Amino acid sequence: KAGVTQTPRYLIKTRGQQVTLSCSPISGHRSVSWYQQTPGQGLQFLFEYFSETQRNKGNFPGRFSGRQFSNSRSEMNVSTLELGDSALYLCASSGQFRDTQYFGPGTRLTVL
Amino acid sequence: AQTVTQSQPEMSVQEAETVTLSCTYDTSESDYYLFWYKQPPSRQMILVIRQEAYKQQNATENRFSVNFQKAAKSFSLKISDSQLGDAAMYFCAYRSAGYGQNFVFGPGTRLSVLP
């Protein structure tokens, strides 16, 4: 099976812009979770989607949003970018029982 | 809320030697899963090993094994015959078996392998 894919891999934006990141889970997986990874804060949970519904949400401002489509692909959007949003954004998918997560390669976002 | 602690921010090991990475967690639940993930520099995070809390037998995957002490809430990772390719950030993670629970990750341990 193909693994989790994320596009784009690298992104450079300026403050105030918005960005959309995409994640395609492993075939058959219906759960997709998003994480923000920074050197200072480690891995922080953003949100999880399962069958097009947001199941869990981390402690991030409303500028961070996401959605999931009927084919389980997920997107996350960050509006009004701030310098502190520069990070590696990781997507992970899980199967039916959500007991194990498999990660994508991540999208490296740089905000200038 | 559950928490995961990795008390060793950095560790190093000589090639071919054995190293143990520590992880402790805090939970009031009895049914859960524990994981070790590896993230090499600038590369993808991959699952190293998985343990189900209701299983007393420690999980093993080739050179990787865990020491799961449920009562002590401890979940250490042992890497035997360390190789240069083992150099990475290692994350310990917890997930409750309950419905709707998300994963909780520790801060990570950076492992260096010395030739």
Side-chain angles (χ1 to χ4, degrees):
Chain A
K1 280 186 181 179
V4 179
T5 58
Q6 292 186 246
T7 56
R9 293 292 310 279
Y10 302 92
L11 210 47
I12 299 175
K13 293 286 187 179
T14 56
R15 279 181 299 174
Q17 288 187 309
Q18 75 166 19
V19 66
T20 299
L21 312 182
S22 179
C23 171
S24 292
I26 291 171
S27 177
H29 284 191
R30 293 162 62 190
S31 170
V32 173
S33 296
W34 288 89
Y35 296 87
Q36 182 194 67
Q37 186 177 26
T38 59
Q41 298 295 320
L43 231 75
Q44 292 190 286
F45 172 74
L46 280 155
F47 27 66
E48 179 193 7
Y49 286 87
F50 181 82
S51 294
E52 302 179 66
T53 301
Q54 187 178 88
R55 177 171 285 185
N56 280 306
K57 189 177 191 306
N59 189 24
F60 277 81
R63 300 186 297 108
F64 292 81
S65 63
R67 60 177 176 169
Q68 187 179 34
F69 301 95
S70 59
N71 62 357
S72 294
R73 188 178 70 86
S74 177
E75 289 182 347
M76 69 162 280
N77 183 277
V78 188
S79 62
T80 318
L81 283 166
E82 301 177 358
L83 295 179
D85 296 334
S86 294
L88 180 67
Y89 289 87
L90 295 171
C91 164
S93 75
S94 300
Q96 179 182 357
F97 300 106
R98 296 175 62 248
D99 57 351
T100 304
Q101 287 189 332
Y102 298 90
F103 284 83
T107 294
R108 173 78 59 187
L109 172 65
T110 302
V111 182
L112 302 177
Chain B
Q2 294 87 3
T3 58
V4 177
T5 302
Q6 294 177 251
S7 59
Q8 307 148 316
E10 295 185 2
M11 291 193 72
S12 62
V13 62
Q14 209 72 36
E15 200 176 1
E17 297 294 310
T18 295
V19 65
T20 298
L21 308 184
S22 301
C23 172
T24 58
Y25 55 96
D26 184 26
T27 184
S28 59
E29 301 183 343
S30 59
D31 196 9
Y32 48 86
Y33 304 92
L34 294 164
F35 309 86
W36 279 98
Y37 284 89
K38 167 186 175 182
Q39 188 179 37
S42 301
R43 293 182 64 187
Q44 192 161 340
M45 188 163 333
I46 59 174
L47 177 68
V48 175
I49 203 163
R50 171 181 177 274
Q51 175 80 41
E52 298 166 16
Y54 64 85
K55 289 187 176 179
Q56 292 185 339
Q57 186 173 6
N58 289 324
T60 63
E61 286 288 341
N62 301 314
R63 299 181 295 106
F64 298 88
S65 62
V66 297
N67 183 5
F68 173 48
Q69 301 290 328
K70 192 171 185 178
K73 298 179 184 176
S74 170
F75 184 61
S76 60
L77 175 70
K78 186 172 83 169
I79 306 174
S80 305
D81 186 25
S82 296
Q83 301 175 359
L84 295 177
D86 295 333
M89 197 75 168
Y90 286 82
F91 293 95
C92 179
Y94 164 101
R95 183 190 171 271
S96 164
Y99 178 82
Q101 299 299 310
N102 50 278
F103 285 72
V104 179
F105 285 81
T109 296
R110 184 173 303 281
L111 178 67
S112 301
V113 181
L114 308 174

